[in-house]
Amino acid sequence: MLTFINELPTDKKIAGVHTIPITEQGNIMMAWDEDEQILTTIGGRVEGNESLEVALTREVMEESGITLHDEKIPLACWYWDSTNTYTVWYLSRVDQFVSNTFTLEKTGHVISNFETMKQMVRKMEGATSIRMQLLIEAEKRVNQFSCL
């Protein structure tokens, strides 16, 4: 079950980290998943002894070719009974775009305003999907950034 948060959970291990990056213009970024044929948040598994910051930095570069500002807002978490771990989502700000070949499972990024992104996700997944819930909450919280 998706739970909206203001602080990272500490009672279980965090095994996955994702983000919803926001551009300087206030647009949102998601990645296109070639295998699932769907727009998705950017992120993945924490590998080995990586910190959440290192894992997120690696994942956003691999999946979208961006770097992020230091300021990140904890947004949501999902508890996995099967592994007794969490996946967490941050709301973050794009620092810069870097050249990327997108050779992994993501073929690139999509940038849009919140309303258009919500319409695309709604069309693909329905109005109550997890990604739709994340977009709605992210839109509510985007004004929490100190300099957007």
Side-chain angles (χ1 to χ4, degrees):
M1 180 164 136
L2 189 65
T3 304
F4 296 114
I5 59 174
N6 293 309
E7 295 179 6
L8 295 176
T10 57
D11 59 324
K12 309 276 191 248
K13 179 181 177 181
I14 297 173
V17 61
H18 287 252
T19 188
I20 298 176
I22 308 296
T23 68
E24 188 175 301
Q25 297 77 25
N27 289 319
I28 186 171
M29 178 185 288
M30 293 181 82
W32 182 255
D33 189 300
E34 183 176 28
D35 296 333
E36 293 185 35
Q37 293 289 294
I38 202 157
L39 286 170
T40 187
T41 56
I42 299 164
R45 291 186 181 96
V46 178
E47 297 179 2
N49 290 326
E50 284 181 320
S51 67
L52 295 182
E53 183 69 29
V54 168
L56 187 59
T57 298
R58 176 183 49 75
E59 288 287 346
V60 298
M61 182 56 68
E62 289 174 359
E63 294 185 359
S64 63
I66 61 171
T67 61
L68 301 174
H69 282 276
D70 289 338
E71 183 182 17
K72 295 170 189 68
I73 298 170
L75 182 67
C77 66
W78 181 277
Y79 174 71
W80 298 93
D81 281 323
S82 59
T83 59
N84 195 32
T85 62
Y86 287 106
T87 295
V88 297
W89 283 264
Y90 288 99
L91 189 59
S92 61
R93 292 180 33 238
V94 174
D95 182 36
Q96 62 182 325
F97 290 84
V98 181
S99 178
N100 192 322
T101 59
F102 300 108
T103 58
L104 300 173
E105 73 275 8
K106 306 301 185 277
T107 60
H109 54 257
V110 176
I111 300 172
S112 176
N113 62 32
F114 273 100
E115 188 54 38
T116 301
M117 194 69 77
K118 289 188 304 187
Q119 288 178 25
M120 289 188 289
V121 169
R122 186 179 300 117
K123 181 75 172 173
M124 287 184 249
E125 298 185 49
T128 60
S129 72
I130 291 171
R131 280 179 272 270
M132 179 60 75
Q133 293 174 53
L134 287 164
L135 290 174
I136 291 167
E137 188 66 17
E139 186 176 28
K140 290 177 189 175
R141 295 200 201 179
V142 73
N143 64 352
Q144 291 179 356
F145 282 119
S146 59
C147 54
L148 239 187

